[in-house]
Amino acid sequence: MDIKTSELLRSSVSWDGVALPDYPSGRPELVVSRLVFPVGAKTGWHHHNVINYGIVEHGELTIVCEDGNERTFHEGEAIVEVVGTIHRGENRGNKQVILNMFYVSEPGQTITVQHPEFH
């Protein structure tokens, strides 16, 4: 049996068109996270210090930036997340969202910084 390979995304910019930062120069630490958003759920406002990307496994996820820029990602769609930009994720749909994210970091580096001052 043949194995099918499909490239879902190849990019050097995040979803908002901003160029990604250079890779760290130290030893890499790769982090994989699965996020499950119930209907109506929103993350807190936050930003990422590292390059991260993922795929929406189920549902539709809207990412909203502090400046109002937003984009909705649909089931099966790949995301290159914004780095250093304050944003949040929202499930505005009628079914749960399952999002698998991959982070390129260094040991001990903070991946996500919360911004509780935004509401």
Side-chain angles (χ1 to χ4, degrees), residues 1-6:
M1 295 185 154
D2 291 335
I3 296 172
K4 289 185 177 183
T5 300
S6 299

Side-chain angles (χ1 to χ4, degrees), residues 60-71:
E60 295 182 350
L61 178 70
T62 301
I63 300 175
V64 181
C65 291
E66 167 192 22
D67 66 3
N69 189 16
E70 69 177 56
R71 180 167 165 196

Side-chain angles (χ1 to χ4, degrees), residues 99-118:
L99 174 66
N100 297 306
M101 292 298 293
F102 306 88
Y103 302 84
V104 180
S105 184
E106 293 178 286
Q109 186 173 18
T110 301
I111 294 172
T112 303
V113 176
Q114 298 296 323
H115 289 276
E117 69 273 20
F118 288 90

Side-chain angles (χ1 to χ4, degrees), residues 7-113:
E7 185 172 289
L8 299 178
L9 178 73
R10 182 184 296 248
S11 181
S12 295
V13 299
S14 56
W15 65 263
D16 64 349
V18 175
L20 293 171
D22 291 338
Y23 273 131
S25 60
R27 179 174 301 277
E29 178 177 72
L30 306 177
V31 179
V32 180
S33 295
R34 173 172 282 192
L35 296 88
V36 178
F37 293 71
V39 172
K42 299 176 185 179
T43 67
W45 291 100
H46 63 280
H47 79 269
H48 301 288
N49 289 325
V50 300
I51 295 169
N52 61 106
Y53 58 97
I55 187 162
V56 178
E57 182 180 324
H58 186 75
E60 295 182 350
L61 178 70
T62 301
I63 300 175
V64 181
C65 291
E66 167 192 22
D67 66 3
N69 189 16
E70 69 177 56
R71 180 167 165 196
T72 299
F73 294 88
H74 306 278
E75 195 167 300
E77 194 171 0
I79 301 170
V80 177
E81 184 63 283
V82 294
V83 178
T85 300
I86 298 173
H87 65 283
R88 73 177 180 197
E90 302 180 358
N91 181 353
R92 297 177 180 171
N94 58 9
K95 58 184 175 179
Q96 85 174 0
V97 170
I98 300 174
L99 174 66
N100 297 306
M101 292 298 293
F102 306 88
Y103 302 84
V104 180
S105 184
E106 293 178 286
Q109 186 173 18
T110 301
I111 294 172
T112 303
V113 176

